[in-house]
Amino acid sequence: MPAIVLVGAQWGDEGKGKATDLLGSRVDAVVKFNGGNNAGHTIVIEGEKYALHLLPSGILTPGCMPVIGNGVVVDLGVLFEEIDALEARGVDTSKLRVSNSAHVITPYNRTLDKVTERFLGNAKIGTTGRGIGPTYADKMARIGIRIQDLFDDEVLRGKVTGALSLKNQTLVKIYNRKGFDPDAVVDELRGYRERLGPMVTDTGLLLDGMLRDGKTVVLEAGQATLLDVDHGTYPFVTSSNATAGGACTGSGIPPTRIDRVIAVVKAYTTRVGEGPFPTELLDAKGEILRNNGAEFGTTTGRPRRCGWFDAPIARYAERINGVTDFVLTKLDVLTGLDEVPVCVAYDVDGVRHDEVPTDQAQFARAVPIYETFPGWTEDISRARTLDELPRNARDYVAALEQMINAPISVIGVGPGRDETVVVRDLLG
Ligand code: GDP
Ligand code: IMO
Ligand code: MG
């Protein structure tokens, strides 16, 4: 089995971390290919809870090599904090490898993220404030600092000084903030050099070698399809490609090597931050989903906006990513509802749309057209096969599968590693 891509189908927090963890010891490497510490993946193993932000989920699987790919933006302070916290809990992080071409989130990029959001006022994106957008903007503007730059004093000083000659003007003259001293920034970044050195490599070459040796590599997305900078609900998106195409550019693994694309989709929908969300529930039903699903951000602690399952969105994710398997998560959260509505299409200005309108003005006005399914009251957290699910839960899953154009191979019935119904082996 060559390379497998794993992406989020909605607006993030679908349970990608748990899904990657489930693939377990049969995986030789897990590569994070986009985003940075804006991600938050909670994984529960034998009652122990781990919250990962920058590190790939494979870090929790002994023997698996976690890789931070070239498409990631790396906050080095966060990287070492996360490593130290895991080591303190007995997790071996020594196999971690970091691409020498990944970009570094600098202190001025963190500041610019926060001041820009404040400046935007009501038009803000609701970012995680981790410096993600400004760091990707620098990458595209070709003034970014890369991991490899840390190991050459002259290059590092030149790049930081060059970038700050622009950034300080913006910070001081537009935002009325203090500028950054280039020497202090260089010293801070150089301070990570010694510890970082042994982890840094050409990860594209490393992964190519693994694939040639018949090893299994999982490319794990942060964020999700509708947060993708090209295919998401722009401008209310993150600044990277979180879809399957981004797995190639963000890792150096070519499309011809990828033979499976797994999309993780929640049995309902959530979103953190601003932007359109047609099935959002602003009433008591939304509160029920938030409380039953513990829908509070892993990264910022913000309450997640909650709503019903949106089939056109999952179908859109199937199309954009070329999904071969869906992992449907958090089915257990719907237990106890009398009925479960599913958005099957939208009404935009009196016209029915079966597919997601990519015109954002239209999408913002989209009103869901619902089909309603009967609920179930039985506890499903101990179900391990489809037969062990109550009839109405099974019918709900079967109806979703019909609407989303790809098989549902795994169903989550609780946060724990074992709280899963496996319909089809994802690695088989
Ligand atoms: P990610 O960012 O896609 O990795 O997802 P998060 O970790 O941010 O959010 C998913 C949350 O749901 C985590 O707290 C998981 O422990 C939890 N979770 C994952 N799958 C299930 C499931 O099937 N049922 C329940 N109840 N919780 C789940
Ligand atoms: P995981 O990997 C949910 C959202 C932010 C904001 C927008 C832009 O856990 O699914 P950014 O800081 O990236 O510039 O913020 O994207 N966002 C996420 N929402 N899950 C995530 O990651 C997210 N990462 C970013 O809330 O709306
Ligand atoms: Mg998350």
mmCIF file of all heavy atoms in Angstrom, residues 36-58:
data_model
loop_
_atom_site.group_PDB
_atom_site.id
_atom_site.type_symbol
_atom_site.label_atom_id
_atom_site.label_comp_id
_atom_site.label_asym_id
_atom_site.label_seq_id
_atom_site.Cartn_x
_atom_site.Cartn_y
_atom_site.Cartn_z
ATOM 1 N N GLY A 36 -0.254 24.662 10.612
ATOM 2 C CA GLY A 36 0.740 24.712 11.681
ATOM 3 C C GLY A 36 0.045 24.431 12.987
ATOM 4 O O GLY A 36 -0.786 23.515 13.056
ATOM 5 N N ASN A 37 0.328 25.251 14.007
ATOM 6 C CA ASN A 37 -0.291 25.006 15.304
ATOM 7 C C ASN A 37 -1.652 25.696 15.431
ATOM 8 O O ASN A 37 -2.140 25.921 16.530
ATOM 9 C CB ASN A 37 0.652 25.365 16.450
ATOM 10 C CG ASN A 37 1.116 26.796 16.410
ATOM 11 O OD1 ASN A 37 1.530 27.303 15.377
ATOM 12 N ND2 ASN A 37 1.043 27.486 17.529
ATOM 13 N N ASN A 38 -2.269 26.009 14.286
ATOM 14 C CA ASN A 38 -3.696 26.360 14.282
ATOM 15 C C ASN A 38 -4.539 25.087 14.450
ATOM 16 O O ASN A 38 -5.676 25.138 14.880
ATOM 17 C CB ASN A 38 -4.104 27.102 12.994
ATOM 18 C CG ASN A 38 -3.604 26.447 11.720
ATOM 19 O OD1 ASN A 38 -2.765 25.551 11.748
ATOM 20 N ND2 ASN A 38 -4.098 26.901 10.585
ATOM 21 N N ALA A 39 -3.972 23.944 14.083
ATOM 22 C CA ALA A 39 -4.681 22.676 14.214
ATOM 23 C C ALA A 39 -4.764 22.263 15.681
ATOM 24 O O ALA A 39 -3.945 22.662 16.502
ATOM 25 C CB ALA A 39 -3.959 21.588 13.423
ATOM 26 N N GLY A 40 -5.767 21.459 15.987
ATOM 27 C CA GLY A 40 -5.865 20.873 17.322
ATOM 28 C C GLY A 40 -6.505 19.513 17.180
ATOM 29 O O GLY A 40 -7.645 19.406 16.730
ATOM 30 N N HIS A 41 -5.741 18.480 17.467
ATOM 31 C CA HIS A 41 -6.270 17.116 17.342
ATOM 32 C C HIS A 41 -6.269 16.480 18.722
ATOM 33 O O HIS A 41 -5.222 16.360 19.354
ATOM 34 C CB HIS A 41 -5.400 16.270 16.420
ATOM 35 C CG HIS A 41 -5.134 16.908 15.083
ATOM 36 N ND1 HIS A 41 -6.136 17.321 14.249
ATOM 37 C CD2 HIS A 41 -3.979 17.205 14.448
ATOM 38 C CE1 HIS A 41 -5.605 17.836 13.164
ATOM 39 N NE2 HIS A 41 -4.292 17.784 13.252
ATOM 40 N N THR A 42 -7.437 16.060 19.183
ATOM 41 C CA THR A 42 -7.521 15.376 20.475
ATOM 42 C C THR A 42 -7.619 13.879 20.228
ATOM 43 O O THR A 42 -8.464 13.428 19.457
ATOM 44 C CB THR A 42 -8.740 15.873 21.266
ATOM 45 O OG1 THR A 42 -8.585 17.273 21.450
ATOM 46 C CG2 THR A 42 -8.830 15.195 22.622
ATOM 47 N N ILE A 43 -6.759 13.149 20.877
ATOM 48 C CA ILE A 43 -6.741 11.688 20.714
ATOM 49 C C ILE A 43 -6.817 11.061 22.099
ATOM 50 O O ILE A 43 -6.090 11.478 23.009
ATOM 51 C CB ILE A 43 -5.446 11.263 19.976
ATOM 52 C CG1 ILE A 43 -5.429 11.914 18.582
ATOM 53 C CG2 ILE A 43 -5.343 9.743 19.858
ATOM 54 C CD1 ILE A 43 -4.112 11.904 17.905
ATOM 55 N N VAL A 44 -7.718 10.092 22.246
ATOM 56 C CA VAL A 44 -7.892 9.453 23.548
ATOM 57 C C VAL A 44 -7.448 7.995 23.436
ATOM 58 O O VAL A 44 -7.994 7.235 22.642
ATOM 59 C CB VAL A 44 -9.375 9.530 24.005
ATOM 60 C CG1 VAL A 44 -9.541 8.926 25.389
ATOM 61 C CG2 VAL A 44 -9.864 10.979 23.985
ATOM 62 N N ILE A 45 -6.415 7.638 24.211
ATOM 63 C CA ILE A 45 -5.901 6.268 24.188
ATOM 64 C C ILE A 45 -5.968 5.707 25.600
ATOM 65 O O ILE A 45 -5.328 6.235 26.509
ATOM 66 C CB ILE A 45 -4.439 6.231 23.674
ATOM 67 C CG1 ILE A 45 -4.357 6.875 22.282
ATOM 68 C CG2 ILE A 45 -3.913 4.802 23.632
ATOM 69 C CD1 ILE A 45 -2.955 7.131 21.801
ATOM 70 N N GLU A 46 -6.748 4.651 25.757
ATOM 71 C CA GLU A 46 -6.959 4.025 27.067
ATOM 72 C C GLU A 46 -7.258 5.068 28.148
ATOM 73 O O GLU A 46 -6.607 5.097 29.203
ATOM 74 C CB GLU A 46 -5.738 3.168 27.434
ATOM 75 C CG GLU A 46 -5.702 1.877 26.619
ATOM 76 C CD GLU A 46 -4.327 1.216 26.626
ATOM 77 O OE1 GLU A 46 -3.496 1.591 27.466
ATOM 78 O OE2 GLU A 46 -4.113 0.336 25.778
ATOM 79 N N GLY A 47 -8.185 5.963 27.840
ATOM 80 C CA GLY A 47 -8.616 6.960 28.808
ATOM 81 C C GLY A 47 -7.670 8.151 28.953
ATOM 82 O O GLY A 47 -8.014 9.155 29.564
ATOM 83 N N GLU A 48 -6.459 8.069 28.378
ATOM 84 C CA GLU A 48 -5.507 9.184 28.427
ATOM 85 C C GLU A 48 -5.769 10.109 27.242
ATOM 86 O O GLU A 48 -5.862 9.655 26.099
ATOM 87 C CB GLU A 48 -4.070 8.650 28.288
ATOM 88 C CG GLU A 48 -3.502 8.038 29.524
ATOM 89 C CD GLU A 48 -2.813 9.069 30.405
ATOM 90 O OE1 GLU A 48 -2.089 9.938 29.890
ATOM 91 O OE2 GLU A 48 -3.016 9.005 31.617
ATOM 92 N N LYS A 49 -5.848 11.426 27.523
ATOM 93 C CA LYS A 49 -6.180 12.383 26.472
ATOM 94 C C LYS A 49 -4.916 13.119 26.022
ATOM 95 O O LYS A 49 -4.153 13.611 26.858
ATOM 96 C CB LYS A 49 -7.164 13.389 27.072
ATOM 97 C CG LYS A 49 -7.992 14.121 26.090
ATOM 98 C CD LYS A 49 -9.126 14.769 26.867
ATOM 99 C CE LYS A 49 -9.877 15.758 26.034
ATOM 100 N NZ LYS A 49 -10.991 16.341 26.757
ATOM 101 N N TYR A 50 -4.676 13.180 24.723
ATOM 102 C CA TYR A 50 -3.532 13.910 24.175
ATOM 103 C C TYR A 50 -4.060 14.983 23.224
ATOM 104 O O TYR A 50 -4.880 14.684 22.362
ATOM 105 C CB TYR A 50 -2.607 12.972 23.391
ATOM 106 C CG TYR A 50 -2.007 11.870 24.222
ATOM 107 C CD1 TYR A 50 -2.688 10.669 24.407
ATOM 108 C CD2 TYR A 50 -0.767 12.037 24.839
ATOM 109 C CE1 TYR A 50 -2.143 9.650 25.177
ATOM 110 C CE2 TYR A 50 -0.212 11.029 25.611
ATOM 111 C CZ TYR A 50 -0.907 9.838 25.777
ATOM 112 O OH TYR A 50 -0.367 8.834 26.534
ATOM 113 N N ALA A 51 -3.585 16.227 23.371
ATOM 114 C CA ALA A 51 -3.976 17.300 22.448
ATOM 115 C C ALA A 51 -2.748 17.687 21.629
ATOM 116 O O ALA A 51 -1.766 18.188 22.179
ATOM 117 C CB ALA A 51 -4.508 18.485 23.218
ATOM 118 N N LEU A 52 -2.803 17.429 20.341
ATOM 119 C CA LEU A 52 -1.668 17.744 19.468
ATOM 120 C C LEU A 52 -2.005 18.964 18.616
ATOM 121 O O LEU A 52 -3.139 19.118 18.174
ATOM 122 C CB LEU A 52 -1.373 16.565 18.541
ATOM 123 C CG LEU A 52 -1.043 15.241 19.215
ATOM 124 C CD1 LEU A 52 -0.923 14.133 18.161
ATOM 125 C CD2 LEU A 52 0.257 15.347 20.009
ATOM 126 N N HIS A 53 -1.016 19.818 18.376
ATOM 127 C CA HIS A 53 -1.242 20.982 17.527
ATOM 128 C C HIS A 53 -0.339 20.944 16.307
ATOM 129 O O HIS A 53 -0.790 20.942 15.182
ATOM 130 C CB HIS A 53 -1.044 22.263 18.336
ATOM 131 C CG HIS A 53 -2.021 22.367 19.449
ATOM 132 N ND1 HIS A 53 -3.323 22.722 19.238
ATOM 133 C CD2 HIS A 53 -1.915 22.096 20.775
ATOM 134 C CE1 HIS A 53 -3.989 22.683 20.384
ATOM 135 N NE2 HIS A 53 -3.148 22.306 21.338
ATOM 136 N N LEU A 54 0.951 20.895 16.556
ATOM 137 C CA LEU A 54 1.912 20.954 15.451
ATOM 138 C C LEU A 54 2.402 19.565 15.065
ATOM 139 O O LEU A 54 2.747 19.311 13.915
ATOM 140 C CB LEU A 54 3.088 21.849 15.899
ATOM 141 C CG LEU A 54 4.188 22.124 14.913
ATOM 142 C CD1 LEU A 54 3.640 22.622 13.587
ATOM 143 C CD2 LEU A 54 5.146 23.161 15.491
ATOM 144 N N LEU A 55 2.450 18.673 16.020
ATOM 145 C CA LEU A 55 3.009 17.350 15.737
ATOM 146 C C LEU A 55 1.986 16.464 15.031
ATOM 147 O O LEU A 55 0.806 16.484 15.378
ATOM 148 C CB LEU A 55 3.468 16.686 17.040
ATOM 149 C CG LEU A 55 4.624 17.404 17.738
ATOM 150 C CD1 LEU A 55 4.899 16.791 19.098
ATOM 151 C CD2 LEU A 55 5.885 17.360 16.872
ATOM 152 N N PRO A 56 2.424 15.679 14.053
ATOM 153 C CA PRO A 56 1.517 14.740 13.382
ATOM 154 C C PRO A 56 1.010 13.685 14.362
ATOM 155 O O PRO A 56 1.722 13.294 15.296
ATOM 156 C CB PRO A 56 2.408 14.087 12.310
ATOM 157 C CG PRO A 56 3.644 14.909 12.231
ATOM 158 C CD PRO A 56 3.796 15.607 13.546
ATOM 159 N N SER A 57 -0.220 13.196 14.131
ATOM 160 C CA SER A 57 -0.832 12.253 15.071
ATOM 161 C C SER A 57 -0.034 10.955 15.215
ATOM 162 O O SER A 57 -0.122 10.291 16.242
ATOM 163 C CB SER A 57 -2.256 11.914 14.620
ATOM 164 O OG SER A 57 -2.980 13.095 14.452
ATOM 165 N N GLY A 58 0.747 10.618 14.192
ATOM 166 C CA GLY A 58 1.552 9.386 14.244
ATOM 167 C C GLY A 58 2.553 9.360 15.388
ATOM 168 O O GLY A 58 3.107 8.313 15.719
#
